[in-house]
């Protein structure tokens, strides 16, 4: 999103962006409208912030509709509606500048939504500022971030579709970052930490680029991030890195490349587990979960999770793989009661 100077209150901006409401209806919910949509996209000229979006899906024929937005984020999974039926669904969207990666381009101003699915049918839409939203902030690298261009997709990019209205995902992961660079770059941690509000979850997955970081420094950096989240009243969650698809001859991933052991012998997942235990921080062991999944699929079956066919890339995930891995994160958020079960979308 482009940076721009806000010269009118947010309420006035929204009033201009949404369909007019009759004077006698001001106390009730705003109506659905399509004045800011085409068949495949919607644009709302709103300032940075957090917005609840409610969509009315369905048409005369059977339909199946998904909603994405901003920098290729998956916001609502594909939802079916019978012929003539209407289905109401909702989600909470984060609108920020820069729109995607913190060190990337600003993007376009406002909230942009893409209407997709195998048979899309958008019958109405309503956008309002979110009231008391819960926020999940993501700190990570290219395997997590809002990737700007296909076929690359981070798991953080796919996570919003698994959460219901009232919970937003603010993805501040950035390509190429290590614990060292994330803490040093003023556009990263120094910018993200002030945004943390009391009660916010902050998921940290940094390891892939700590290739030359010694163990003491890596451990200290994780502790610094944990302390920084707690300083703002947030709830830190440490996440071990997704595995690289790098098989041994026996079909296992028990090797340093796959399991993120760097050239200095630093076992990143092991250190993350130790810091989580020592600091009393929730742990999402994505290394163990992705290892089990990749090994179960085997050499051929696991290719679809990564960009092997497209780029011979065994580190970065496809849209399919990112969706599957985001589902693993969703499962842990729910199982560990980090997000109320009613706010997690299981379908």
């Amino acid at each position: 999103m482009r940076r721009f100077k806000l010269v009118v209150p947010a309420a006035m901006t929204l009033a201009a962006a949404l369909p007019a409401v009759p004077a006698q209806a001001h106390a009730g919910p705003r109506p659905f409208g399509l004045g800011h949509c085409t068949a495949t996209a919607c644009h709302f000229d709103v300032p940075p912030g957090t917005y609840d979006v409610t969509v009315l899906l369905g048409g005369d024929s059977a339909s199946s509709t998904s909603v994405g937005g901003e920098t290729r984020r998956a916001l609502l999974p594909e939802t079916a509606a019978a012929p003539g039926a209407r289905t109401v669904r909702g989600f909470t969207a984060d609108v920020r500048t820069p729109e995607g990666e913190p060190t990337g381009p600003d993007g376009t101003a406002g909230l942009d939504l893409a209407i997709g699915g195998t048979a899309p049918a958008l019958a109405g839409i309503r956008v309002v500022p979110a009231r008391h939203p819960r926020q999940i902030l993501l700190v990570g690298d290219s395997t997590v971030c809002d990737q700007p261009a296909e076929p690359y997709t981070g798991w953080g990019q796919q996570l919003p579709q698994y959460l219901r209205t009232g919970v937003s995902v603010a993805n501040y992961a950035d390509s190429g970052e290590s614990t060292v660079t994330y803490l040093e770059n003023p556009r990263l941690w120094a910018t993200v930490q002030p945004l943390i509000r009391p009660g916010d979850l902050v998921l940290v997955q940094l390891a892939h680029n700590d290739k030359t970081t010694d163990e003491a420094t890596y451990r200290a950096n994780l502790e610094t991030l944990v302390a920084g989240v707690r300083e703002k009243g947030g709830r830190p969650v440490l996440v071990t890195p997704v595995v690289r698809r790098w098989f041994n001859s026996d079909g296992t991933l028990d090797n340093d490349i796959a399991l993120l052991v760097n050239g200095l012998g630093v076992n990143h997942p092991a250190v993350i587990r130790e810091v989580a235990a020592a600091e009393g921080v929730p742990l999402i062991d994505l290394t163990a979960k992705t290892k089990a999944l990749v090994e179960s699929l085997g050499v051929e079956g696991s290719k679809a999770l990564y960009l092997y066919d497209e780029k011979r890339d065994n580190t970065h995930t496809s849209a399919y793989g990112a969706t599957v891995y985001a589902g693993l994160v969703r499962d842990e958020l729910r199982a560990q009661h980090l997000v109320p079960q009613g706010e997690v979308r299981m379908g």
Side-chain angles (χ1 to χ4, degrees):
M1 295 172 295
R2 295 185 298 275
R3 292 183 176 85
F4 59 97
K5 185 176 180 181
L6 181 62
V7 294
V8 295
M12 292 175 62
T13 306
L14 276 171
L18 294 169
V21 181
Q24 66 270 23
H26 281 177
R30 286 176 173 155
F32 288 103
L34 289 173
H36 295 266
C37 299
T38 67
T40 59
C42 300
H43 172 77
F44 294 90
D45 186 18
V46 296
T50 308
Y51 296 90
D52 288 340
V53 180
T54 307
V55 292
L56 184 65
L57 305 177
D60 294 338
S61 303
S63 63
S64 187
T65 310
S66 62
V67 181
E70 297 296 87
T71 307
R72 301 177 57 239
R73 301 176 210 158
L75 299 172
L76 186 73
E78 194 153 340
T79 302
R86 297 293 184 270
T87 299
V88 177
R89 292 289 186 272
F91 54 87
T92 298
D94 173 60
V95 177
R96 62 180 184 269
T97 302
E99 183 178 285
E101 296 178 85
T103 63
D106 285 352
T108 57
L111 173 62
D112 288 289
L113 301 174
I115 312 304
T118 55
L122 178 66
I125 187 168
R126 184 165 61 219
V127 176
V128 298
R131 300 179 63 182
H132 312 298
R134 283 161 294 287
Q135 183 173 231
I136 300 175
L137 296 97
L138 305 181
V139 170
D141 52 36
S142 59
T143 65
V144 185
C145 75
D146 286 351
Q147 290 280 1
E150 295 179 347
Y152 294 92
T153 310
W155 63 255
Q157 208 160 9
Q158 300 297 99
L159 185 61
Q161 67 183 305
Y162 289 124
L163 300 167
R164 299 183 187 277
T165 302
V167 186
S168 72
V169 175
N171 190 351
Y172 289 96
D174 197 72
S175 293
E177 306 300 341
S178 65
T179 58
V180 175
T181 60
Y182 204 96
L183 287 167
E184 288 179 345
N185 190 330
R187 297 184 68 181
L188 297 173
W189 185 238
T191 298
V192 174
Q193 190 195 17
L195 302 176
I196 301 170
R197 304 171 308 202
D200 283 347
L201 282 181
V202 183
L203 276 57
V204 178
Q205 185 214 280
L206 287 167
H208 278 87
N209 300 301
D210 280 280
K211 298 172 184 176
T212 61
T213 309
D214 64 79
E215 183 170 334
T217 301
Y218 185 66
R219 187 182 301 272
N221 289 343
L222 292 175
E223 292 169 348
T224 297
L225 289 164
V226 167
V229 174
R230 285 174 165 165
E231 179 184 327
K232 305 299 288 186
R235 297 184 290 157
V237 179
L238 292 180
V239 183
T240 60
V242 299
V243 296
R244 295 190 180 98
R245 184 188 160 277
W246 203 275
F247 283 92
N248 293 321
S249 59
D250 64 357
T252 68
L253 297 181
D254 291 322
N255 59 78
D256 290 353
I257 294 175
L259 300 184
L260 284 296
V261 179
N262 74 10
L264 302 178
V266 180
N267 186 323
H268 293 105
V271 175
I272 295 169
R273 294 176 188 120
E274 291 167 5
V275 172
E279 297 289 329
V281 172
L283 173 75
I284 296 178
D285 199 341
L286 206 50
T287 304
K289 291 186 173 297
T290 55
K291 177 179 184 292
L293 177 59
V294 170
E295 288 182 343
S296 71
L297 292 172
V299 174
E300 290 301 318
S302 62
K303 287 179 178 178
L305 296 171
Y306 292 84
L307 296 176
Y308 179 84
D309 291 331
E310 300 90 338
K311 302 286 185 178
R312 293 299 187 267
D313 186 333
N314 292 304
T315 297
H316 297 96
T317 49
S318 63
Y320 168 70
T323 302
V324 172
Y325 287 178
L328 297 177
V329 175
R330 178 272 315 271
D331 293 346
E332 283 300 297
L333 292 174
R334 186 173 188 268
Q336 297 188 41
H337 304 289
L338 297 171
V339 175
Q341 291 192 14
E343 295 177 350
V344 176
R345 202 186 307 274
M346 296 303 296

